[in-house]
Each structure stands twice: as structure tokens, then as C-alpha cells.
Amino acid sequence: MSPVTEQWDEVLRTHLALGEERSPVLAAAAFSAEAGFFAVAGRGGADGWPYFRSMAHAPGAGGTGPERPDDVEALCTVCEEAVHPRGLWIAGLPWQRESRELVSDAVTGRDLELALLRQGDRAMWVVRTERGVCAFVLVDGDSEANLSEARSLTLEFDSFLVGQGY
């Protein structure tokens, strides 16, 4: 793991409470269209990659599923085009956009694009800064409390990104 990836892995864990047992976040990813994934992290040190990348389509996995663009490529497209109303495929599963809003960062005034995606009874917040950095935050369970708390953590994380110049 590169030093940059390790740094961003720790940033995700800290800002999204992934080290806490009762975190409302199951896994998260931070991505830059320019630099690729900064990090993918799961709660409690678990591997977060299976939530964001289809292992059946990973190189060398020998998957036999339908041909689809690589999930990382799909995430890059999301960053470039915003969250498309038709949704997207993440880890081989279709996610539908339920809502989308523009939120201004309280400190800098920069716009953050926030979308709620759903796949069955699972929910994920996707947020994008003006500079093309995306964060994907998978909510643990489908309770309104977890959904609301994960939204707050997602916005705080993106305020941190904006404050860092992203």
C-alpha cells in the first residue's frame, strides 16, 4: 500500500468513524478522477473493496458475468458526470438514485453535490466536490437514524476535503 493510500485510508477511518463499533457507516471510498482511488476502507478494519468492486469482474478472478465497464471506471464516470438519474453499477449491483441536492460548504461556500443511492434495502451517500473528488459512503442498515448520521459524517468529510483544497 502506497503512503498516499495509507494516509487516505486513515483519513476515511477517522472522519467517517469507521474505527467505531457502532458507526453508521459500513464502508467508504474516496476517489479522485485525476489520481484514482485515494482509499477504500471498511468498518473495524474490514476490507472495503468488495463493497465497491465486483470481484467477479476483477482481473484474474475468472468471472463469467455479463460484460460491464470496470466498477472503478463507473465510479470515475460518476465523478465526471455527477450521479446519473438512471443510477449506476457498483460491485456488480444496480444502484438507483433516490435524491440529489447541492449543498454549500459552510466555510468555503463551495458547492458539494450530494446524492442518495439505493440498492434494495441498502443505501449509499455519494458526494462530489467542485474539483471532482468523490466520496462513496455505504450506510449500515436501512434505519433513518443511521441514514441521517451517515449523511452528516459524509458532509463533514467533504467539508474536510474542501478545506484541504480538494
Side-chain angles (χ1 to χ4, degrees):
M1 189 180 297
S2 74
V4 171
T5 301
E6 285 181 22
Q7 172 192 357
W8 282 99
D9 180 64
E10 186 58 34
V11 168
L12 279 174
R13 289 183 190 292
T14 301
H15 288 273
L16 294 170
L18 287 169
E20 297 177 17
E21 248 181 67
R22 296 182 182 256
S23 173
V25 176
L26 188 58
F31 179 78
S32 167
E34 292 178 16
F37 267 104
F38 288 137
V40 175
R43 184 176 56 210
D47 183 10
W49 271 110
Y51 298 108
F52 299 101
R53 179 147 197 181
S54 175
M55 292 300 135
H57 300 288
T64 58
E67 288 295 317
R68 281 192 205 97
D70 181 82
D71 295 321
V72 174
E73 181 182 324
L75 298 178
C76 179
T77 301
V78 170
C79 287
E80 292 171 359
E81 298 177 1
V83 179
H84 197 279
R86 72 175 179 267
L88 70 151
W89 286 82
I90 299 176
L93 300 171
W95 289 80
Q96 296 300 313
R97 186 178 83 190
E98 183 172 293
S99 67
R100 179 176 168 250
E101 61 185 294
L102 288 178
V103 179
S104 291
D105 179 68
V107 176
T108 65
R110 287 190 182 151
D111 286 335
L112 303 173
E113 184 176 12
L114 179 67
L116 176 61
L117 302 181
R118 290 216 184 249
Q119 193 282 318
D121 62 352
R122 298 184 337 157
M124 182 183 316
W125 290 107
V126 179
V127 69
R128 180 174 72 118
T129 69
E130 287 179 339
R131 297 209 176 164
V133 176
C134 285
F136 300 82
V137 178
L138 182 61
V139 179
D140 184 16
D142 195 27
S143 77
E144 284 302 314
N146 278 3
L147 193 63
S148 179
E149 190 175 348
R151 181 185 189 276
S152 294
L153 288 170
T154 302
L155 289 173
E156 286 174 18
F157 176 70
D158 283 300
S159 288
F160 165 79
L161 289 175
V162 169
Q164 295 297 309
Y166 293 100

